[in-house]
Amino acid sequence: MKIAKKPTHQLRKTAVMRMAKYFKSRVLVPLLLLIFFFLDGVMAMIMPGFVGDGAFRMDSTCLLMAFVLFALNLEDLLPLYVAGFVIGFLYDLYYTEILGINLFLFPLVVYVTQQVKPHLPVNLYASWLWTVFIQAVYAQLAYFVFRMLGVNFSSYGAFLVTIFTPSLLLNGFLAFLFIWLLGHISRWIEAD
């Protein structure tokens, strides 16, 4: 009795498809997150020119949005956890200059999003609301951590009016753009 073998061209095709999927999820996703890391820096340099007299400050959280949206749209989250620790460490070194805040918050955001994902409907508005909610919680946590460490000396009311609200408006608008963009990229990554 002969056992039927798959033709070699089919084996090669499936191997190439597996390698492409591995590359897209394990290499391309962290590279895209690194691009969002640098985009946050670019936005930090550009935004003061748009705000005006300096009474208000808009902080973009493009990288945080990318983590949330990839966690909502991708099945394989291991690259997000690893990138969360590595890029969180770099983010703390480069932007916040206090080690440990984003190093643990980025993977925590991925974990919490993973736990909430089965309870969210998959649509634009649910993704947008979850992204804005995570940004609001992240900004509050960052404020209180900086306040405890003595880095931030502004009152909570001043923080809400001058930083939190303008930043949330900016990031809420950017979230609509990134939901569309990262949704398409995620579907391409997940495609066989």
Side-chain angles (χ1 to χ4, degrees), residues 57 59-61 64 101-102 105-106 109 131-147 152 156 159-160 163-169 171:
R57 191 175 92 201
D59 294 332
S60 71
T61 55
L64 182 68
I101 296 171
N102 294 300
L105 280 180
F106 289 154
V109 163
T131 304
V132 170
F133 173 75
I134 289 291
Q135 291 170 353
V137 171
Y138 174 82
Q140 301 292 324
L141 284 174
Y143 171 80
F144 286 116
V145 167
F146 288 143
R147 182 81 178 187
N152 188 354
Y156 186 67
F159 163 73
L160 286 177
I163 299 171
F164 179 74
T165 304
S167 297
L168 204 57
L169 290 171
N171 291 313

mmCIF file of all heavy atoms in Angstrom, residues 57 59-61 64 101-102 105-106 109 131-147 152 156 159-160 163-169 171:
data_model
loop_
_atom_site.group_PDB
_atom_site.id
_atom_site.type_symbol
_atom_site.label_atom_id
_atom_site.label_comp_id
_atom_site.label_asym_id
_atom_site.label_seq_id
_atom_site.Cartn_x
_atom_site.Cartn_y
_atom_site.Cartn_z
ATOM 1 N N ARG A 57 -1.065 72.132 26.024
ATOM 2 C CA ARG A 57 -0.079 71.194 25.492
ATOM 3 C C ARG A 57 -0.801 69.943 25.021
ATOM 4 O O ARG A 57 -1.619 69.387 25.746
ATOM 5 C CB ARG A 57 0.934 70.830 26.570
ATOM 6 C CG ARG A 57 2.123 70.085 26.018
ATOM 7 C CD ARG A 57 3.161 69.852 27.069
ATOM 8 N NE ARG A 57 2.885 68.542 27.663
ATOM 9 C CZ ARG A 57 3.308 68.166 28.838
ATOM 10 N NH1 ARG A 57 4.004 68.999 29.585
ATOM 11 N NH2 ARG A 57 3.043 66.980 29.307
ATOM 12 N N ASP A 59 -0.201 66.152 23.872
ATOM 13 C CA ASP A 59 0.725 65.023 23.822
ATOM 14 C C ASP A 59 0.093 63.914 23.001
ATOM 15 O O ASP A 59 -0.996 63.444 23.327
ATOM 16 C CB ASP A 59 1.028 64.507 25.235
ATOM 17 C CG ASP A 59 1.778 65.529 26.069
ATOM 18 O OD1 ASP A 59 2.511 66.352 25.494
ATOM 19 O OD2 ASP A 59 1.625 65.494 27.304
ATOM 20 N N SER A 60 0.776 63.508 21.950
ATOM 21 C CA SER A 60 0.239 62.406 21.148
ATOM 22 C C SER A 60 0.654 61.078 21.762
ATOM 23 O O SER A 60 1.713 60.966 22.369
ATOM 24 C CB SER A 60 0.737 62.501 19.711
ATOM 25 O OG SER A 60 2.104 62.182 19.657
ATOM 26 N N THR A 61 -0.205 60.101 21.608
ATOM 27 C CA THR A 61 0.085 58.756 22.091
ATOM 28 C C THR A 61 -0.100 57.777 20.942
ATOM 29 O O THR A 61 -0.846 56.803 21.052
ATOM 30 C CB THR A 61 -0.825 58.382 23.277
ATOM 31 O OG1 THR A 61 -2.174 58.554 22.876
ATOM 32 C CG2 THR A 61 -0.530 59.212 24.501
ATOM 33 N N LEU A 64 0.938 54.183 21.868
ATOM 34 C CA LEU A 64 -0.068 53.531 22.709
ATOM 35 C C LEU A 64 -1.263 53.084 21.866
ATOM 36 O O LEU A 64 -1.770 51.968 22.034
ATOM 37 C CB LEU A 64 -0.520 54.473 23.819
ATOM 38 C CG LEU A 64 -1.528 53.932 24.809
ATOM 39 C CD1 LEU A 64 -0.902 52.844 25.664
ATOM 40 C CD2 LEU A 64 -2.060 55.041 25.687
ATOM 41 N N ILE A 101 8.041 53.088 33.785
ATOM 42 C CA ILE A 101 6.630 53.445 33.617
ATOM 43 C C ILE A 101 6.061 52.771 32.371
ATOM 44 O O ILE A 101 5.169 51.932 32.452
ATOM 45 C CB ILE A 101 6.455 54.972 33.564
ATOM 46 C CG1 ILE A 101 6.866 55.588 34.898
ATOM 47 C CG2 ILE A 101 5.019 55.341 33.218
ATOM 48 C CD1 ILE A 101 6.926 57.081 34.892
ATOM 49 N N ASN A 102 6.578 53.110 31.207
ATOM 50 C CA ASN A 102 6.071 52.529 29.965
ATOM 51 C C ASN A 102 6.595 51.124 29.736
ATOM 52 O O ASN A 102 5.982 50.353 29.006
ATOM 53 C CB ASN A 102 6.413 53.430 28.784
ATOM 54 C CG ASN A 102 5.680 54.738 28.880
ATOM 55 O OD1 ASN A 102 4.466 54.770 28.899
ATOM 56 N ND2 ASN A 102 6.410 55.833 28.981
ATOM 57 N N LEU A 105 3.740 49.511 31.413
ATOM 58 C CA LEU A 105 2.404 49.915 30.982
ATOM 59 C C LEU A 105 2.051 49.419 29.577
ATOM 60 O O LEU A 105 0.911 49.032 29.339
ATOM 61 C CB LEU A 105 2.252 51.429 31.047
ATOM 62 C CG LEU A 105 1.960 52.018 32.420
ATOM 63 C CD1 LEU A 105 1.830 53.524 32.353
ATOM 64 C CD2 LEU A 105 0.700 51.429 33.017
ATOM 65 N N PHE A 106 3.001 49.407 28.652
ATOM 66 C CA PHE A 106 2.688 48.945 27.299
ATOM 67 C C PHE A 106 2.290 47.465 27.277
ATOM 68 O O PHE A 106 1.259 47.122 26.690
ATOM 69 C CB PHE A 106 3.833 49.224 26.337
ATOM 70 C CG PHE A 106 4.004 50.686 25.999
ATOM 71 C CD1 PHE A 106 5.233 51.176 25.610
ATOM 72 C CD2 PHE A 106 2.952 51.577 26.065
ATOM 73 C CE1 PHE A 106 5.399 52.513 25.297
ATOM 74 C CE2 PHE A 106 3.101 52.921 25.755
ATOM 75 C CZ PHE A 106 4.339 53.381 25.364
ATOM 76 N N VAL A 109 -1.163 47.187 28.845
ATOM 77 C CA VAL A 109 -2.227 47.620 27.927
ATOM 78 C C VAL A 109 -2.581 46.491 26.967
ATOM 79 O O VAL A 109 -3.757 46.241 26.688
ATOM 80 C CB VAL A 109 -1.786 48.897 27.169
ATOM 81 C CG1 VAL A 109 -2.635 49.137 25.940
ATOM 82 C CG2 VAL A 109 -1.828 50.094 28.088
ATOM 83 N N THR A 131 -9.950 52.639 22.590
ATOM 84 C CA THR A 131 -8.671 53.339 22.427
ATOM 85 C C THR A 131 -8.667 54.641 23.221
ATOM 86 O O THR A 131 -7.691 54.934 23.920
ATOM 87 C CB THR A 131 -8.407 53.618 20.932
ATOM 88 O OG1 THR A 131 -8.454 52.383 20.212
ATOM 89 C CG2 THR A 131 -7.062 54.262 20.723
ATOM 90 N N VAL A 132 -9.727 55.406 23.142
ATOM 91 C CA VAL A 132 -9.799 56.669 23.888
ATOM 92 C C VAL A 132 -9.839 56.398 25.396
ATOM 93 O O VAL A 132 -9.194 57.116 26.180
ATOM 94 C CB VAL A 132 -11.021 57.503 23.429
ATOM 95 C CG1 VAL A 132 -11.267 58.679 24.343
ATOM 96 C CG2 VAL A 132 -10.811 57.985 22.001
ATOM 97 N N PHE A 133 -10.545 55.360 25.822
ATOM 98 C CA PHE A 133 -10.578 54.999 27.237
ATOM 99 C C PHE A 133 -9.173 54.642 27.741
ATOM 100 O O PHE A 133 -8.744 55.106 28.807
ATOM 101 C CB PHE A 133 -11.541 53.823 27.461
ATOM 102 C CG PHE A 133 -11.519 53.288 28.857
ATOM 103 C CD1 PHE A 133 -12.133 53.992 29.889
ATOM 104 C CD2 PHE A 133 -10.875 52.100 29.145
ATOM 105 C CE1 PHE A 133 -12.094 53.508 31.187
ATOM 106 C CE2 PHE A 133 -10.840 51.616 30.438
ATOM 107 C CZ PHE A 133 -11.451 52.311 31.464
ATOM 108 N N ILE A 134 -8.450 53.837 26.980
ATOM 109 C CA ILE A 134 -7.082 53.460 27.375
ATOM 110 C C ILE A 134 -6.193 54.699 27.432
ATOM 111 O O ILE A 134 -5.372 54.851 28.346
ATOM 112 C CB ILE A 134 -6.503 52.405 26.411
ATOM 113 C CG1 ILE A 134 -7.209 51.066 26.616
ATOM 114 C CG2 ILE A 134 -5.007 52.246 26.574
ATOM 115 C CD1 ILE A 134 -6.915 50.391 27.931
ATOM 116 N N GLN A 135 -6.339 55.617 26.485
ATOM 117 C CA GLN A 135 -5.542 56.844 26.502
ATOM 118 C C GLN A 135 -5.851 57.680 27.729
ATOM 119 O O GLN A 135 -4.941 58.243 28.344
ATOM 120 C CB GLN A 135 -5.803 57.665 25.238
ATOM 121 C CG GLN A 135 -5.277 57.040 23.991
ATOM 122 C CD GLN A 135 -5.771 57.752 22.756
ATOM 123 O OE1 GLN A 135 -6.605 58.648 22.821
ATOM 124 N NE2 GLN A 135 -5.261 57.354 21.611
ATOM 125 N N ALA A 136 -7.119 57.767 28.099
ATOM 126 C CA ALA A 136 -7.502 58.555 29.276
ATOM 127 C C ALA A 136 -6.931 57.940 30.547
ATOM 128 O O ALA A 136 -6.378 58.648 31.396
ATOM 129 C CB ALA A 136 -9.025 58.654 29.365
ATOM 130 N N VAL A 137 -7.037 56.628 30.677
ATOM 131 C CA VAL A 137 -6.488 55.951 31.859
ATOM 132 C C VAL A 137 -4.966 56.080 31.892
ATOM 133 O O VAL A 137 -4.369 56.341 32.948
ATOM 134 C CB VAL A 137 -6.928 54.471 31.877
ATOM 135 C CG1 VAL A 137 -6.202 53.685 32.954
ATOM 136 C CG2 VAL A 137 -8.430 54.374 32.070
ATOM 137 N N TYR A 138 -4.331 55.924 30.732
ATOM 138 C CA TYR A 138 -2.873 56.059 30.642
ATOM 139 C C TYR A 138 -2.410 57.455 31.067
ATOM 140 O O TYR A 138 -1.452 57.594 31.829
ATOM 141 C CB TYR A 138 -2.436 55.758 29.203
ATOM 142 C CG TYR A 138 -0.975 55.997 28.924
ATOM 143 C CD1 TYR A 138 -0.020 55.047 29.253
ATOM 144 C CD2 TYR A 138 -0.553 57.174 28.313
ATOM 145 C CE1 TYR A 138 1.317 55.262 28.986
ATOM 146 C CE2 TYR A 138 0.777 57.393 28.045
ATOM 147 C CZ TYR A 138 1.709 56.437 28.377
ATOM 148 O OH TYR A 138 3.035 56.665 28.114
ATOM 149 N N ALA A 139 -3.094 58.481 30.592
ATOM 150 C CA ALA A 139 -2.717 59.855 30.947
ATOM 151 C C ALA A 139 -2.888 60.103 32.442
ATOM 152 O O ALA A 139 -2.047 60.753 33.075
ATOM 153 C CB ALA A 139 -3.547 60.849 30.142
ATOM 154 N N GLN A 140 -3.972 59.582 33.011
ATOM 155 C CA GLN A 140 -4.198 59.750 34.455
ATOM 156 C C GLN A 140 -3.117 59.027 35.256
ATOM 157 O O GLN A 140 -2.580 59.588 36.222
ATOM 158 C CB GLN A 140 -5.584 59.198 34.843
ATOM 159 C CG GLN A 140 -6.738 59.846 34.145
ATOM 160 C CD GLN A 140 -6.953 61.282 34.568
ATOM 161 O OE1 GLN A 140 -6.762 61.632 35.712
ATOM 162 N NE2 GLN A 140 -7.356 62.106 33.626
ATOM 163 N N LEU A 141 -2.814 57.791 34.871
ATOM 164 C CA LEU A 141 -1.768 57.038 35.577
ATOM 165 C C LEU A 141 -0.414 57.739 35.480
ATOM 166 O O LEU A 141 0.315 57.826 36.471
ATOM 167 C CB LEU A 141 -1.665 55.620 35.019
ATOM 168 C CG LEU A 141 -2.735 54.642 35.436
ATOM 169 C CD1 LEU A 141 -2.586 53.329 34.682
ATOM 170 C CD2 LEU A 141 -2.676 54.390 36.934
ATOM 171 N N ALA A 142 -0.091 58.212 34.284
ATOM 172 C CA ALA A 142 1.184 58.906 34.104
ATOM 173 C C ALA A 142 1.237 60.167 34.971
ATOM 174 O O ALA A 142 2.268 60.452 35.598
ATOM 175 C CB ALA A 142 1.393 59.259 32.630
ATOM 176 N N TYR A 143 0.138 60.914 35.024
ATOM 177 C CA TYR A 143 0.116 62.116 35.854
ATOM 178 C C TYR A 143 0.365 61.768 37.319
ATOM 179 O O TYR A 143 1.194 62.393 37.988
ATOM 180 C CB TYR A 143 -1.224 62.852 35.724
ATOM 181 C CG TYR A 143 -1.369 63.966 36.732
ATOM 182 C CD1 TYR A 143 -0.750 65.200 36.514
ATOM 183 C CD2 TYR A 143 -2.092 63.783 37.907
ATOM 184 C CE1 TYR A 143 -0.859 66.219 37.440
ATOM 185 C CE2 TYR A 143 -2.199 64.808 38.833
ATOM 186 C CZ TYR A 143 -1.587 66.022 38.604
ATOM 187 O OH TYR A 143 -1.686 67.030 39.527
ATOM 188 N N PHE A 144 -0.337 60.773 37.836
ATOM 189 C CA PHE A 144 -0.200 60.442 39.255
ATOM 190 C C PHE A 144 1.163 59.838 39.584
ATOM 191 O O PHE A 144 1.713 60.101 40.655
ATOM 192 C CB PHE A 144 -1.342 59.532 39.712
ATOM 193 C CG PHE A 144 -2.637 60.269 39.845
ATOM 194 C CD1 PHE A 144 -3.717 59.956 39.037
ATOM 195 C CD2 PHE A 144 -2.776 61.311 40.755
ATOM 196 C CE1 PHE A 144 -4.908 60.654 39.148
ATOM 197 C CE2 PHE A 144 -3.965 62.015 40.873
ATOM 198 C CZ PHE A 144 -5.033 61.680 40.064
ATOM 199 N N VAL A 145 1.724 59.058 38.659
ATOM 200 C CA VAL A 145 3.069 58.520 38.892
ATOM 201 C C VAL A 145 4.087 59.657 38.907
ATOM 202 O O VAL A 145 4.953 59.723 39.796
ATOM 203 C CB VAL A 145 3.432 57.460 37.825
ATOM 204 C CG1 VAL A 145 4.907 57.128 37.862
ATOM 205 C CG2 VAL A 145 2.603 56.203 38.038
ATOM 206 N N PHE A 146 3.999 60.561 37.946
ATOM 207 C CA PHE A 146 4.920 61.703 37.922
ATOM 208 C C PHE A 146 4.719 62.595 39.140
ATOM 209 O O PHE A 146 5.670 63.162 39.664
ATOM 210 C CB PHE A 146 4.755 62.519 36.639
ATOM 211 C CG PHE A 146 5.293 61.838 35.418
ATOM 212 C CD1 PHE A 146 4.639 61.953 34.208
ATOM 213 C CD2 PHE A 146 6.455 61.084 35.469
ATOM 214 C CE1 PHE A 146 5.132 61.324 33.074
ATOM 215 C CE2 PHE A 146 6.952 60.458 34.338
ATOM 216 C CZ PHE A 146 6.289 60.578 33.140
ATOM 217 N N ARG A 147 3.492 62.716 39.575
ATOM 218 C CA ARG A 147 3.192 63.527 40.766
ATOM 219 C C ARG A 147 3.816 62.891 42.017
ATOM 220 O O ARG A 147 4.394 63.587 42.863
ATOM 221 C CB ARG A 147 1.671 63.647 40.913
ATOM 222 C CG ARG A 147 1.208 64.485 42.047
ATOM 223 C CD ARG A 147 1.263 65.926 41.692
ATOM 224 N NE ARG A 147 0.765 66.683 42.822
ATOM 225 C CZ ARG A 147 0.556 67.940 42.803
ATOM 226 N NH1 ARG A 147 0.779 68.633 41.716
ATOM 227 N NH2 ARG A 147 0.115 68.559 43.858
ATOM 228 N N ASN A 152 6.162 66.213 38.413
ATOM 229 C CA ASN A 152 5.094 67.093 37.972
ATOM 230 C C ASN A 152 4.584 67.894 39.175
ATOM 231 O O ASN A 152 4.185 67.321 40.176
ATOM 232 C CB ASN A 152 3.960 66.246 37.376
ATOM 233 C CG ASN A 152 2.908 67.086 36.724
ATOM 234 O OD1 ASN A 152 2.939 68.305 36.786
ATOM 235 N ND2 ASN A 152 1.964 66.422 36.099
ATOM 236 N N TYR A 156 -4.019 69.143 39.737
ATOM 237 C CA TYR A 156 -4.814 68.216 38.933
ATOM 238 C C TYR A 156 -5.760 68.978 38.003
ATOM 239 O O TYR A 156 -5.941 68.599 36.854
ATOM 240 C CB TYR A 156 -5.583 67.257 39.843
ATOM 241 C CG TYR A 156 -6.305 66.187 39.093
ATOM 242 C CD1 TYR A 156 -5.614 65.210 38.395
ATOM 243 C CD2 TYR A 156 -7.695 66.154 39.061
ATOM 244 C CE1 TYR A 156 -6.273 64.227 37.699
ATOM 245 C CE2 TYR A 156 -8.370 65.176 38.359
ATOM 246 C CZ TYR A 156 -7.654 64.206 37.681
ATOM 247 O OH TYR A 156 -8.304 63.231 36.977
ATOM 248 N N PHE A 159 -3.802 70.265 35.117
ATOM 249 C CA PHE A 159 -3.487 69.138 34.236
ATOM 250 C C PHE A 159 -4.681 68.797 33.345
ATOM 251 O O PHE A 159 -4.527 68.588 32.138
ATOM 252 C CB PHE A 159 -3.074 67.916 35.067
ATOM 253 C CG PHE A 159 -3.115 66.621 34.320
ATOM 254 C CD1 PHE A 159 -2.156 66.320 33.371
ATOM 255 C CD2 PHE A 159 -4.134 65.696 34.553
ATOM 256 C CE1 PHE A 159 -2.199 65.123 32.674
ATOM 257 C CE2 PHE A 159 -4.190 64.504 33.863
ATOM 258 C CZ PHE A 159 -3.211 64.213 32.920
ATOM 259 N N LEU A 160 -5.871 68.750 33.933
ATOM 260 C CA LEU A 160 -7.068 68.407 33.153
ATOM 261 C C LEU A 160 -7.347 69.426 32.060
ATOM 262 O O LEU A 160 -7.711 69.067 30.936
ATOM 263 C CB LEU A 160 -8.288 68.297 34.076
ATOM 264 C CG LEU A 160 -8.370 67.064 34.961
ATOM 265 C CD1 LEU A 160 -9.599 67.150 35.852
ATOM 266 C CD2 LEU A 160 -8.400 65.800 34.139
ATOM 267 N N ILE A 163 -3.492 70.005 29.649
ATOM 268 C CA ILE A 163 -2.819 68.877 28.990
ATOM 269 C C ILE A 163 -3.798 67.767 28.622
ATOM 270 O O ILE A 163 -3.857 67.328 27.473
ATOM 271 C CB ILE A 163 -1.692 68.314 29.876
ATOM 272 C CG1 ILE A 163 -0.643 69.386 30.139
ATOM 273 C CG2 ILE A 163 -1.053 67.098 29.229
ATOM 274 C CD1 ILE A 163 0.389 69.008 31.167
ATOM 275 N N PHE A 164 -4.575 67.299 29.591
ATOM 276 C CA PHE A 164 -5.403 66.118 29.398
ATOM 277 C C PHE A 164 -6.457 66.312 28.310
ATOM 278 O O PHE A 164 -6.549 65.507 27.371
ATOM 279 C CB PHE A 164 -6.069 65.721 30.725
ATOM 280 C CG PHE A 164 -6.955 64.528 30.623
ATOM 281 C CD1 PHE A 164 -6.412 63.266 30.492
ATOM 282 C CD2 PHE A 164 -8.337 64.655 30.658
ATOM 283 C CE1 PHE A 164 -7.225 62.149 30.390
ATOM 284 C CE2 PHE A 164 -9.155 63.557 30.563
ATOM 285 C CZ PHE A 164 -8.598 62.297 30.430
ATOM 286 N N THR A 165 -7.259 67.354 28.403
ATOM 287 C CA THR A 165 -8.349 67.567 27.445
ATOM 288 C C THR A 165 -7.838 67.818 26.025
ATOM 289 O O THR A 165 -8.309 67.165 25.085
ATOM 290 C CB THR A 165 -9.267 68.713 27.920
ATOM 291 O OG1 THR A 165 -9.733 68.404 29.239
ATOM 292 C CG2 THR A 165 -10.445 68.891 26.986
ATOM 293 N N PRO A 166 -6.867 68.735 25.813
ATOM 294 C CA PRO A 166 -6.369 68.896 24.440
ATOM 295 C C PRO A 166 -5.726 67.634 23.881
ATOM 296 O O PRO A 166 -5.907 67.307 22.707
ATOM 297 C CB PRO A 166 -5.334 70.021 24.560
ATOM 298 C CG PRO A 166 -5.672 70.742 25.802
ATOM 299 C CD PRO A 166 -6.279 69.738 26.713
ATOM 300 N N SER A 167 -5.015 66.905 24.732
ATOM 301 C CA SER A 167 -4.380 65.666 24.268
ATOM 302 C C SER A 167 -5.413 64.611 23.907
ATOM 303 O O SER A 167 -5.263 63.890 22.916
ATOM 304 C CB SER A 167 -3.438 65.120 25.346
ATOM 305 O OG SER A 167 -2.396 66.020 25.594
ATOM 306 N N LEU A 168 -6.455 64.508 24.705
ATOM 307 C CA LEU A 168 -7.500 63.531 24.426
ATOM 308 C C LEU A 168 -8.243 63.871 23.128
ATOM 309 O O LEU A 168 -8.596 62.969 22.356
ATOM 310 C CB LEU A 168 -8.475 63.450 25.600
ATOM 311 C CG LEU A 168 -9.252 62.159 25.747
ATOM 312 C CD1 LEU A 168 -8.325 60.968 25.862
ATOM 313 C CD2 LEU A 168 -10.164 62.221 26.949
ATOM 314 N N LEU A 169 -8.460 65.151 22.875
ATOM 315 C CA LEU A 169 -9.094 65.555 21.614
ATOM 316 C C LEU A 169 -8.216 65.202 20.418
ATOM 317 O O LEU A 169 -8.693 64.665 19.411
ATOM 318 C CB LEU A 169 -9.407 67.050 21.635
ATOM 319 C CG LEU A 169 -10.521 67.495 22.572
ATOM 320 C CD1 LEU A 169 -10.580 69.017 22.647
ATOM 321 C CD2 LEU A 169 -11.852 66.933 22.129
ATOM 322 N N ASN A 171 -5.767 62.934 20.271
ATOM 323 C CA ASN A 171 -5.623 61.489 20.133
ATOM 324 C C ASN A 171 -6.923 60.813 19.723
ATOM 325 O O ASN A 171 -6.899 59.789 19.041
ATOM 326 C CB ASN A 171 -5.081 60.896 21.434
ATOM 327 C CG ASN A 171 -3.652 61.310 21.657
ATOM 328 O OD1 ASN A 171 -2.829 61.229 20.758
ATOM 329 N ND2 ASN A 171 -3.355 61.769 22.851
#
